[in-house]
Amino acid sequence: MTYKVVLADDHYPVLEYLSTSIPWDTLGLELSACCSDGRQAWEACQLHQPDILLTDIGMPAMNGLELIQKAREVNPQLQTIILSCHGEFEYAQKAVKLNVAEYILKESLQIDQVIAVLTEAVARLEVKLKSRNHYLQMEKLVSQNHAAIRTRFIRMFVEQPVWDEAEWFGQAEAMGIHLHTGTPYLPVLAVPERSYELERRFGGVVNLQFVMDNVLQEFLEIDGIIQFALTERQFILFIPLPHILVRNLYEEFRDKFRHVQRMAKLHLRMGISFFYGEATTSLIDIKKQIQALLDSHALRFYAAEGAIMKYAPVQTSGEDLFVHYSEILQQLRDCIQQEDSSQIGAKVREIKQYIGDQKYPVESVKSWLLKMVMELELKYVVMQNFVSNFNSERLQRSIQEFETLEQLMEWLEEFLKDKILMLSSMWKQNVRKEIAEAKRYVMNHISEKAGMEEMAKRLGLNPTHFSRLFRLETGLTFIEYVTRVKMEHARDLLNQTNLTIVEIAEQLGYDNVSYFIKLFRNFSGMTPAEFRKSI
């Protein structure tokens, strides 16, 4: 760290000598000002806020002792060094009273002596800095521990029964949670939007909590509000509402929530949603409402981003979403095969509208979508001949992160458009369009038997010529390619479904289960049963 120095002396030769002879940078110092009288030096101290003041005593406008006294009133940690022609005891005595670090006589002035004195002053500043940093760290630790204790207290309040309200209010007061009995409180759940993206951007979930906590404290200016970080992504607010003003304050608080949202967007590019209950004086009612807010996954999922909503139970559909799986999967495949991005956008909006109207359970929607994108991913990754790139865990993790239907559908549209780009690139890489068509046919008819001669006939090519072209293009015979595609799909079905080995063989067009098992063993080094056990 570099420390600032103000140098004051009414003798210009002394100022010039010290300013040019002392290796300020080497000592870790910055000479902020050279002053020829006391008043000028005092103005420099106010402007630069130095760490060290090196001053003469006998100066016009203001003497050095007055200067030190005034400067020390502003900065008690200031290191002061007197440089003077006066050797009388009375000056030294006054200097001691002002906690002057050193007293150097000009008559015996040597630059090495000044350097030594400045070095000692720097050392004292370093010790004080370390001590202050340690104090701040301890203060931060105490603050964090206190916040953690408050959080645990509220978690216990939410998760465990409250047997004695008076005792609970007493414990809350002891922790600095100043709730007033008889005052209605409005319970509010505040959550950051796209929290996993924010976590990555802010450098971790702890930093995300810190940012969110500070945003609410700085911009949500409500007297008597109590704020808790229940988890890193869930913040509980207790907002006091005086009886006579309850009806008027609801809209006022919504305005304050909107203000927080605007400020968070403006300064941090983050969204925040607020969900609130009913104001009540009953501790038990507050507890029940908080539990309902925390459990309202469907309310959050189907709300638009940046919501300010009153809690209301969401009635989810009892219909099985998977009834529509095959139909929609085929529609999405057709859009990809036709390389129609505009149709993709329209189809995703249609899916979003339908799911939003029916309000299926959140986990059902995510499971449905995960199965669909995994099947599409596997299909087109295999077509690219990069089977090892398939990562089901990555897809599952991505989908689980999304908090709203809006985010989920936004991601789905991008996923499908990426598949179009990949497919377009893949076709361009193929020298012969007939080979691309053959691959496309195999991928889209994986449950059918596909022979080399039948495929050549379908493409209007001589079987021998087609066989030679396919091997030249892919490095595999047509039958080897078909087998590999089917075995990759078999591996996916063994991993993701509870289908029996017989059912999987049938789905892939194998009448002979033993033959299917043999092919799978040649492909993976183990039987289907062994592979499933190893997962």
Side-chain angles (χ1 to χ4, degrees), residues 206-364:
V206 174
N207 290 343
L208 170 59
Q209 177 183 332
F210 176 79
V211 170
M212 182 73 176
D213 226 344
N214 278 272
V215 166
L216 293 174
Q217 287 180 14
E218 183 171 352
F219 298 119
L220 197 58
E221 299 173 350
I222 299 175
D223 291 338
I225 188 172
I226 307 293
Q227 176 178 321
F228 303 95
L230 191 65
T231 70
E232 292 87 351
R233 298 182 177 88
Q234 295 174 316
F235 293 78
I236 298 295
L237 311 173
F238 290 167
I239 299 179
L241 280 79
H243 289 285
I244 58 173
L245 297 173
V246 168
R247 286 180 297 178
N248 298 332
L249 287 181
Y250 269 108
E251 186 55 39
E252 180 183 332
F253 291 143
R254 281 193 289 269
D255 288 341
K256 289 181 180 292
F257 294 154
R258 283 189 280 268
H259 173 68
V260 172
Q261 290 174 335
R262 286 193 298 271
M263 292 298 101
K265 280 287 186 186
L266 177 64
H267 297 291
L268 296 163
R269 294 183 293 114
M270 69 181 291
I272 302 175
S273 283
F274 295 92
F275 302 92
Y276 59 92
E278 287 277 3
T280 177
T281 58
S282 168
L283 192 63
I284 301 303
D285 284 347
I286 291 175
K287 176 188 174 81
K288 288 178 180 178
Q289 290 190 61
I290 292 174
Q291 289 172 332
L293 287 168
L294 294 172
D295 291 338
S296 58
H297 303 299
L299 178 66
R300 173 94 188 276
F301 185 72
Y302 288 106
E305 289 193 31
I308 300 175
M309 293 180 62
K310 185 174 182 180
Y311 170 76
V314 176
Q315 186 64 42
T316 55
S317 173
E319 182 190 50
D320 184 2
L321 180 57
F322 281 85
V323 170
H324 308 285
Y325 178 81
S326 299
E327 177 189 356
I328 293 179
L329 177 62
Q330 189 57 52
Q331 291 172 355
L332 295 179
R333 279 177 179 164
D334 292 342
C335 291
I336 294 172
Q337 298 288 44
Q338 295 164 12
E339 300 180 21
D340 190 342
S341 294
S342 62
Q343 188 62 29
I344 285 287
K347 191 62 195 175
V348 169
R349 287 192 294 274
E350 183 183 324
I351 294 171
K352 177 184 175 183
Q353 182 69 43
Y354 180 75
I355 293 176
D357 289 343
Q358 295 297 317
K359 291 189 170 48
Y360 292 97
V362 177
E363 288 309 313
S364 176

Side-chain angles (χ1 to χ4, degrees), residues 301-302 321 355 359-370 399 405 408-409:
F301 185 72
Y302 288 106
L321 180 57
I355 293 176
K359 291 189 170 48
Y360 292 97
V362 177
E363 288 309 313
S364 176
V365 174
K366 290 188 174 183
S367 298
W368 178 80
L369 188 64
L370 176 62
I399 289 173
L405 178 63
L408 198 60
M409 292 297 105

Side-chain angles (χ1 to χ4, degrees), residues 442-461:
V442 171
M443 293 299 301
N444 291 334
H445 299 81
I446 201 165
S447 62
E448 301 175 11
K449 295 180 181 180
M452 190 269 293
E453 292 189 0
E454 292 85 353
M455 182 56 65
K457 183 178 179 180
R458 179 180 296 277
L459 296 171
L461 297 174

Side-chain angles (χ1 to χ4, degrees), residues 473-491:
E473 184 74 18
T474 66
L476 300 170
T477 69
F478 180 71
I479 299 303
E480 287 172 342
Y481 177 79
V482 171
T483 301
R484 193 186 73 172
V485 170
K486 288 178 180 280
M487 292 306 105
E488 287 289 350
H489 195 57
R491 185 167 66 178

Side-chain angles (χ1 to χ4, degrees), residues 61-198:
M62 182 187 298
N63 70 45
L65 296 181
E66 290 178 279
L67 171 64
I68 290 171
Q69 185 172 0
K70 291 175 72 70
R72 289 296 295 273
E73 288 174 358
V74 176
N75 178 14
Q77 305 301 320
L78 180 69
Q79 296 290 302
T80 52
I81 301 167
I82 285 181
L83 182 67
S84 177
C85 296
H86 301 278
E88 292 88 347
F89 177 72
E90 60 176 303
Y91 289 108
Q93 192 175 40
K94 289 182 180 179
V96 169
K97 288 182 179 179
L98 291 172
N99 291 320
V100 173
E102 294 288 346
Y103 189 96
I104 302 172
L105 293 177
K106 290 183 183 179
E107 288 87 342
S108 58
L109 176 65
Q110 294 182 354
I111 204 66
D112 289 345
Q113 179 190 10
V114 179
I115 291 173
V117 169
L118 289 171
T119 301
E120 291 176 5
V122 169
R124 287 191 294 272
L125 287 168
E126 289 288 342
V127 169
K128 290 183 178 182
L129 178 63
K130 289 179 181 178
S131 176
R132 175 168 174 75
N133 287 341
H134 178 69
Y135 172 79
L136 292 175
Q137 288 173 357
M138 292 298 295
E139 190 178 52
K140 182 180 178 182
L141 184 61
V142 169
S143 176
Q144 289 174 340
N145 287 341
H146 183 61
I149 291 170
R150 283 162 54 102
T151 295
R152 282 197 296 272
F153 181 70
I154 289 299
R155 282 180 184 164
M156 289 175 61
F157 168 65
V158 173
E159 297 168 2
Q160 298 178 13
V162 176
W163 301 111
D164 187 328
E165 288 197 16
E167 181 183 355
W168 187 90
F169 274 106
Q171 292 174 347
E173 187 69 26
M175 293 185 186
I177 304 171
H178 305 299
L179 291 167
H180 303 288
T181 56
T183 297
Y185 281 91
L186 179 70
V188 180
L189 172 64
V191 290
E193 297 289 358
R194 302 176 187 260
S195 61
Y196 290 91
E197 291 180 16
L198 294 174

Side-chain angles (χ1 to χ4, degrees), residues 36-55:
S36 58
D37 66 58
R39 190 174 301 283
Q40 185 183 8
W42 167 233
E43 291 173 355
C45 286
Q46 291 175 298
L47 176 64
H48 298 290
Q49 299 179 11
D51 303 288
I52 300 174
L53 173 62
L54 179 60
T55 180

